[in-house]
Amino acid sequence: MEDRAEAAVGEHVELEYELTREDMRQALKARAKASGRARRMRGFALVGVAAFVGASAVPLAKGEGPDTRSWVIAGLLVVLLFVLQPWLLARQFHRIASRNGACRSRVDDSGVTVSNTGGSSRLNWTAAPHYAETADTFVLLSGDENVSCLTVLPKRGVRAPEDVDAFRTLLDRHIRRL
């Protein structure tokens, strides 16, 4: 198995897949960890939740009844920002990505080519200088602070299980893992 992985690196790795909502959810989560803007937004959200919790704790410290309105607003903020928003965003990205059906990708020493019924695109390694690995995907990320571009490559799309290791080796050789 090791020999196959090393042999595939010198050549190429091919994938065939259809993106799922879960692929997009994992990719967007990986992107959020790499994006300065997303980290700042999470920080602002946590400060907002803390403010509402703090506002409801003040009456408790004075021996008064809890301010249930602040607790409800804090709870809604948590649900909206940390549960519903990522789910809706992944759903929206999946809807856009799935319009063109199944994808075929080829990863080699010069970069990545992704093709589907809508056309094809070619990324050299400088266009996606970073990647993140999730449980089910490799996510290629642009190098700008906000990580404005991403390419999702599901591991299930490889032709043979040992190709996942070959794929990882190829990525490690050309770009930096986050």
Side-chain angles (χ1 to χ4, degrees), residues 59-73:
L60 287 175
K62 293 180 180 178
E64 300 172 6
D67 179 11
T68 54
R69 200 171 9 161
S70 294
W71 283 104
V72 169
I73 291 172

Side-chain angles (χ1 to χ4, degrees), residues 112-161:
V112 180
T113 303
V114 179
S115 303
N116 57 34
T117 58
S120 67
S121 61
R122 176 87 180 136
L123 293 171
N124 62 26
W125 294 119
T126 58
H130 308 107
Y131 83 95
E133 183 175 355
T134 71
D136 302 317
T137 65
F138 289 103
V139 185
L140 307 184
L141 303 162
S142 62
D144 59 298
E145 180 190 355
N146 294 323
V147 190
S148 57
C149 297
L150 57 89
T151 303
V152 184
L153 301 166
K155 294 176 184 178
R156 71 178 175 285
V158 298
R159 293 183 178 174

Side-chain angles (χ1 to χ4, degrees), residues 164-175:
V164 172
D165 292 329
F167 192 3
R168 185 179 301 107
T169 301
L170 184 59
L171 292 174
D172 285 337
R173 185 166 56 193
H174 293 285
I175 58 180

Side-chain angles (χ1 to χ4, degrees), residues 44-81:
F44 287 136
L46 288 173
V47 166
V49 169
F52 279 107
V53 169
S56 62
V58 169
L60 287 175
K62 293 180 180 178
E64 300 172 6
D67 179 11
T68 54
R69 200 171 9 161
S70 294
W71 283 104
V72 169
I73 291 172
L76 284 174
L77 276 174
V78 167
V79 169
L80 285 172
L81 295 171

